[in-house]
Amino acid sequence: MQYVSMAAVGLVVGILARFFYPGKVELGLIMSAVLGVAGAFLAGFIGNLLSKQSGGPLRPAGFVYSILGAMLVIFLARQFGLA
């Protein structure tokens, strides 16, 4: 059940990242979910490097950082010609 909730949150994060990213981002729903999960993972990884606290429940700041991480993934994908 944890993977289902992770995919649902990833889909929401991916869609919001596509919305906030400047310019047109043409990705389907599945790629948006993958993008959101990758962004959340990237944001969590960077957050763990900067903080001594380990993971916990979803917090509003973590949700915002996940969106920013997904936007960074979009930027990197565009730089390498993947999106």
Side-chain angles (χ1 to χ4, degrees), residues 62-83:
F63 192 74
V64 171
Y65 288 142
S66 295
I67 294 171
L68 293 174
M71 290 174 68
L72 180 61
V73 171
I74 292 173
F75 174 76
L76 292 174
R78 282 191 166 187
Q79 295 302 312
F80 292 109
L82 301 174

PDB file of all heavy atoms in Angstrom, residues 62-83:
ATOM      1  N   GLY A  62       8.076  19.607   3.002  1.00  0.00           N
ATOM      2  CA  GLY A  62       8.583  18.499   2.206  1.00  0.00           C
ATOM      3  C   GLY A  62       7.858  18.376   0.885  1.00  0.00           C
ATOM      4  O   GLY A  62       8.451  18.025  -0.135  1.00  0.00           O
ATOM      5  N   PHE A  63       6.574  18.674   0.886  1.00  0.00           N
ATOM      6  CA  PHE A  63       5.784  18.642  -0.341  1.00  0.00           C
ATOM      7  C   PHE A  63       6.269  19.722  -1.299  1.00  0.00           C
ATOM      8  O   PHE A  63       6.438  19.466  -2.501  1.00  0.00           O
ATOM      9  CB  PHE A  63       4.300  18.825   0.003  1.00  0.00           C
ATOM     10  CG  PHE A  63       3.373  18.531  -1.130  1.00  0.00           C
ATOM     11  CD1 PHE A  63       3.133  17.230  -1.518  1.00  0.00           C
ATOM     12  CD2 PHE A  63       2.732  19.552  -1.794  1.00  0.00           C
ATOM     13  CE1 PHE A  63       2.282  16.942  -2.561  1.00  0.00           C
ATOM     14  CE2 PHE A  63       1.874  19.291  -2.838  1.00  0.00           C
ATOM     15  CZ  PHE A  63       1.645  17.981  -3.225  1.00  0.00           C
ATOM     16  N   VAL A  64       6.526  20.912  -0.787  1.00  0.00           N
ATOM     17  CA  VAL A  64       7.031  22.016  -1.617  1.00  0.00           C
ATOM     18  C   VAL A  64       8.421  21.668  -2.146  1.00  0.00           C
ATOM     19  O   VAL A  64       8.720  21.884  -3.331  1.00  0.00           O
ATOM     20  CB  VAL A  64       7.051  23.341  -0.828  1.00  0.00           C
ATOM     21  CG1 VAL A  64       7.766  24.432  -1.593  1.00  0.00           C
ATOM     22  CG2 VAL A  64       5.634  23.772  -0.487  1.00  0.00           C
ATOM     23  N   TYR A  65       9.274  21.108  -1.298  1.00  0.00           N
ATOM     24  CA  TYR A  65      10.605  20.720  -1.746  1.00  0.00           C
ATOM     25  C   TYR A  65      10.535  19.609  -2.784  1.00  0.00           C
ATOM     26  O   TYR A  65      11.365  19.548  -3.693  1.00  0.00           O
ATOM     27  CB  TYR A  65      11.471  20.290  -0.567  1.00  0.00           C
ATOM     28  CG  TYR A  65      11.891  21.436   0.317  1.00  0.00           C
ATOM     29  CD1 TYR A  65      11.954  21.285   1.692  1.00  0.00           C
ATOM     30  CD2 TYR A  65      12.216  22.675  -0.207  1.00  0.00           C
ATOM     31  CE1 TYR A  65      12.334  22.330   2.511  1.00  0.00           C
ATOM     32  CE2 TYR A  65      12.597  23.729   0.602  1.00  0.00           C
ATOM     33  CZ  TYR A  65      12.657  23.547   1.956  1.00  0.00           C
ATOM     34  OH  TYR A  65      13.042  24.587   2.748  1.00  0.00           O
ATOM     35  N   SER A  66       9.555  18.732  -2.672  1.00  0.00           N
ATOM     36  CA  SER A  66       9.373  17.692  -3.677  1.00  0.00           C
ATOM     37  C   SER A  66       9.012  18.290  -5.024  1.00  0.00           C
ATOM     38  O   SER A  66       9.487  17.842  -6.066  1.00  0.00           O
ATOM     39  CB  SER A  66       8.282  16.708  -3.235  1.00  0.00           C
ATOM     40  OG  SER A  66       8.670  16.014  -2.087  1.00  0.00           O
ATOM     41  N   ILE A  67       8.181  19.317  -5.019  1.00  0.00           N
ATOM     42  CA  ILE A  67       7.829  20.000  -6.270  1.00  0.00           C
ATOM     43  C   ILE A  67       9.069  20.671  -6.855  1.00  0.00           C
ATOM     44  O   ILE A  67       9.324  20.586  -8.064  1.00  0.00           O
ATOM     45  CB  ILE A  67       6.696  21.020  -6.044  1.00  0.00           C
ATOM     46  CG1 ILE A  67       5.405  20.292  -5.666  1.00  0.00           C
ATOM     47  CG2 ILE A  67       6.480  21.887  -7.284  1.00  0.00           C
ATOM     48  CD1 ILE A  67       4.290  21.203  -5.210  1.00  0.00           C
ATOM     49  N   LEU A  68       9.860  21.329  -6.014  1.00  0.00           N
ATOM     50  CA  LEU A  68      11.093  21.957  -6.495  1.00  0.00           C
ATOM     51  C   LEU A  68      12.067  20.906  -7.028  1.00  0.00           C
ATOM     52  O   LEU A  68      12.737  21.123  -8.044  1.00  0.00           O
ATOM     53  CB  LEU A  68      11.748  22.780  -5.385  1.00  0.00           C
ATOM     54  CG  LEU A  68      10.973  24.019  -4.946  1.00  0.00           C
ATOM     55  CD1 LEU A  68      11.658  24.665  -3.749  1.00  0.00           C
ATOM     56  CD2 LEU A  68      10.835  25.004  -6.087  1.00  0.00           C
ATOM     57  N   GLY A  69      12.142  19.762  -6.353  1.00  0.00           N
ATOM     58  CA  GLY A  69      12.996  18.671  -6.836  1.00  0.00           C
ATOM     59  C   GLY A  69      12.520  18.149  -8.176  1.00  0.00           C
ATOM     60  O   GLY A  69      13.333  17.856  -9.064  1.00  0.00           O
ATOM     61  N   ALA A  70      11.213  18.036  -8.361  1.00  0.00           N
ATOM     62  CA  ALA A  70      10.670  17.583  -9.639  1.00  0.00           C
ATOM     63  C   ALA A  70      10.950  18.604 -10.735  1.00  0.00           C
ATOM     64  O   ALA A  70      11.228  18.228 -11.881  1.00  0.00           O
ATOM     65  CB  ALA A  70       9.169  17.317  -9.513  1.00  0.00           C
ATOM     66  N   MET A  71      10.901  19.884 -10.400  1.00  0.00           N
ATOM     67  CA  MET A  71      11.236  20.916 -11.380  1.00  0.00           C
ATOM     68  C   MET A  71      12.714  20.824 -11.762  1.00  0.00           C
ATOM     69  O   MET A  71      13.073  21.026 -12.929  1.00  0.00           O
ATOM     70  CB  MET A  71      10.887  22.298 -10.836  1.00  0.00           C
ATOM     71  CG  MET A  71       9.395  22.529 -10.735  1.00  0.00           C
ATOM     72  SD  MET A  71       8.939  24.071  -9.931  1.00  0.00           S
ATOM     73  CE  MET A  71       9.500  25.267 -11.129  1.00  0.00           C
ATOM     74  N   LEU A  72      13.557  20.484 -10.812  1.00  0.00           N
ATOM     75  CA  LEU A  72      14.975  20.285 -11.107  1.00  0.00           C
ATOM     76  C   LEU A  72      15.161  19.072 -12.017  1.00  0.00           C
ATOM     77  O   LEU A  72      15.980  19.106 -12.939  1.00  0.00           O
ATOM     78  CB  LEU A  72      15.770  20.118  -9.809  1.00  0.00           C
ATOM     79  CG  LEU A  72      17.263  19.893  -9.956  1.00  0.00           C
ATOM     80  CD1 LEU A  72      17.924  21.084 -10.649  1.00  0.00           C
ATOM     81  CD2 LEU A  72      17.889  19.647  -8.600  1.00  0.00           C
ATOM     82  N   VAL A  73      14.385  18.028 -11.804  1.00  0.00           N
ATOM     83  CA  VAL A  73      14.451  16.844 -12.668  1.00  0.00           C
ATOM     84  C   VAL A  73      14.003  17.207 -14.089  1.00  0.00           C
ATOM     85  O   VAL A  73      14.604  16.744 -15.063  1.00  0.00           O
ATOM     86  CB  VAL A  73      13.606  15.688 -12.075  1.00  0.00           C
ATOM     87  CG1 VAL A  73      13.479  14.550 -13.057  1.00  0.00           C
ATOM     88  CG2 VAL A  73      14.217  15.197 -10.773  1.00  0.00           C
ATOM     89  N   ILE A  74      12.974  18.034 -14.225  1.00  0.00           N
ATOM     90  CA  ILE A  74      12.546  18.491 -15.552  1.00  0.00           C
ATOM     91  C   ILE A  74      13.684  19.257 -16.227  1.00  0.00           C
ATOM     92  O   ILE A  74      13.985  19.041 -17.402  1.00  0.00           O
ATOM     93  CB  ILE A  74      11.294  19.393 -15.465  1.00  0.00           C
ATOM     94  CG1 ILE A  74      10.070  18.599 -15.035  1.00  0.00           C
ATOM     95  CG2 ILE A  74      11.020  20.068 -16.813  1.00  0.00           C
ATOM     96  CD1 ILE A  74       8.852  19.467 -14.771  1.00  0.00           C
ATOM     97  N   PHE A  75      14.317  20.153 -15.484  1.00  0.00           N
ATOM     98  CA  PHE A  75      15.421  20.937 -16.036  1.00  0.00           C
ATOM     99  C   PHE A  75      16.548  20.014 -16.508  1.00  0.00           C
ATOM    100  O   PHE A  75      17.061  20.181 -17.620  1.00  0.00           O
ATOM    101  CB  PHE A  75      15.940  21.923 -14.985  1.00  0.00           C
ATOM    102  CG  PHE A  75      17.172  22.664 -15.420  1.00  0.00           C
ATOM    103  CD1 PHE A  75      17.076  23.711 -16.331  1.00  0.00           C
ATOM    104  CD2 PHE A  75      18.417  22.310 -14.944  1.00  0.00           C
ATOM    105  CE1 PHE A  75      18.209  24.391 -16.741  1.00  0.00           C
ATOM    106  CE2 PHE A  75      19.549  22.976 -15.346  1.00  0.00           C
ATOM    107  CZ  PHE A  75      19.446  24.017 -16.250  1.00  0.00           C
ATOM    108  N   LEU A  76      16.922  19.056 -15.680  1.00  0.00           N
ATOM    109  CA  LEU A  76      18.004  18.135 -16.055  1.00  0.00           C
ATOM    110  C   LEU A  76      17.611  17.278 -17.251  1.00  0.00           C
ATOM    111  O   LEU A  76      18.435  17.026 -18.136  1.00  0.00           O
ATOM    112  CB  LEU A  76      18.376  17.264 -14.860  1.00  0.00           C
ATOM    113  CG  LEU A  76      19.031  17.984 -13.698  1.00  0.00           C
ATOM    114  CD1 LEU A  76      19.215  17.046 -12.514  1.00  0.00           C
ATOM    115  CD2 LEU A  76      20.369  18.586 -14.122  1.00  0.00           C
ATOM    116  N   ALA A  77      16.369  16.837 -17.299  1.00  0.00           N
ATOM    117  CA  ALA A  77      15.908  16.030 -18.431  1.00  0.00           C
ATOM    118  C   ALA A  77      15.946  16.834 -19.716  1.00  0.00           C
ATOM    119  O   ALA A  77      16.297  16.309 -20.778  1.00  0.00           O
ATOM    120  CB  ALA A  77      14.492  15.507 -18.160  1.00  0.00           C
ATOM    121  N   ARG A  78      15.597  18.104 -19.640  1.00  0.00           N
ATOM    122  CA  ARG A  78      15.657  18.951 -20.841  1.00  0.00           C
ATOM    123  C   ARG A  78      17.101  19.194 -21.280  1.00  0.00           C
ATOM    124  O   ARG A  78      17.379  19.287 -22.464  1.00  0.00           O
ATOM    125  CB  ARG A  78      14.978  20.279 -20.577  1.00  0.00           C
ATOM    126  CG  ARG A  78      13.484  20.163 -20.628  1.00  0.00           C
ATOM    127  CD  ARG A  78      12.855  21.522 -20.636  1.00  0.00           C
ATOM    128  NE  ARG A  78      11.466  21.413 -21.016  1.00  0.00           N
ATOM    129  CZ  ARG A  78      10.689  22.435 -21.238  1.00  0.00           C
ATOM    130  NH1 ARG A  78      11.167  23.653 -21.110  1.00  0.00           N
ATOM    131  NH2 ARG A  78       9.440  22.271 -21.584  1.00  0.00           N
ATOM    132  N   GLN A  79      18.023  19.309 -20.332  1.00  0.00           N
ATOM    133  CA  GLN A  79      19.420  19.533 -20.668  1.00  0.00           C
ATOM    134  C   GLN A  79      20.011  18.330 -21.394  1.00  0.00           C
ATOM    135  O   GLN A  79      20.885  18.485 -22.255  1.00  0.00           O
ATOM    136  CB  GLN A  79      20.240  19.849 -19.414  1.00  0.00           C
ATOM    137  CG  GLN A  79      19.875  21.131 -18.746  1.00  0.00           C
ATOM    138  CD  GLN A  79      20.009  22.330 -19.651  1.00  0.00           C
ATOM    139  OE1 GLN A  79      21.027  22.505 -20.329  1.00  0.00           O
ATOM    140  NE2 GLN A  79      18.993  23.159 -19.695  1.00  0.00           N
ATOM    141  N   PHE A  80      19.560  17.128 -21.037  1.00  0.00           N
ATOM    142  CA  PHE A  80      20.063  15.916 -21.658  1.00  0.00           C
ATOM    143  C   PHE A  80      19.179  15.440 -22.806  1.00  0.00           C
ATOM    144  O   PHE A  80      19.393  14.356 -23.349  1.00  0.00           O
ATOM    145  CB  PHE A  80      20.220  14.803 -20.618  1.00  0.00           C
ATOM    146  CG  PHE A  80      21.315  15.073 -19.635  1.00  0.00           C
ATOM    147  CD1 PHE A  80      21.020  15.390 -18.325  1.00  0.00           C
ATOM    148  CD2 PHE A  80      22.635  15.043 -20.023  1.00  0.00           C
ATOM    149  CE1 PHE A  80      22.026  15.653 -17.410  1.00  0.00           C
ATOM    150  CE2 PHE A  80      23.659  15.297 -19.133  1.00  0.00           C
ATOM    151  CZ  PHE A  80      23.347  15.605 -17.811  1.00  0.00           C
ATOM    152  N   GLY A  81      18.172  16.220 -23.175  1.00  0.00           N
ATOM    153  CA  GLY A  81      17.316  15.902 -24.311  1.00  0.00           C
ATOM    154  C   GLY A  81      16.333  14.782 -24.069  1.00  0.00           C
ATOM    155  O   GLY A  81      15.880  14.142 -25.000  1.00  0.00           O
ATOM    156  N   LEU A  82      15.967  14.534 -22.820  1.00  0.00           N
ATOM    157  CA  LEU A  82      15.044  13.452 -22.491  1.00  0.00           C
ATOM    158  C   LEU A  82      13.598  13.912 -22.422  1.00  0.00           C
ATOM    159  O   LEU A  82      12.699  13.097 -22.444  1.00  0.00           O
ATOM    160  CB  LEU A  82      15.453  12.800 -21.177  1.00  0.00           C
ATOM    161  CG  LEU A  82      16.850  12.212 -21.141  1.00  0.00           C
ATOM    162  CD1 LEU A  82      17.205  11.733 -19.746  1.00  0.00           C
ATOM    163  CD2 LEU A  82      16.995  11.099 -22.147  1.00  0.00           C
ATOM    164  N   ALA A  83      13.369  15.209 -22.283  1.00  0.00           N
ATOM    165  CA  ALA A  83      11.992  15.712 -22.189  1.00  0.00           C
ATOM    166  C   ALA A  83      11.792  16.868 -23.129  1.00  0.00           C
ATOM    167  O   ALA A  83      12.663  17.566 -23.511  1.00  0.00           O
ATOM    168  CB  ALA A  83      11.692  16.150 -20.770  1.00  0.00           C
TER     169      ALA A  83
END
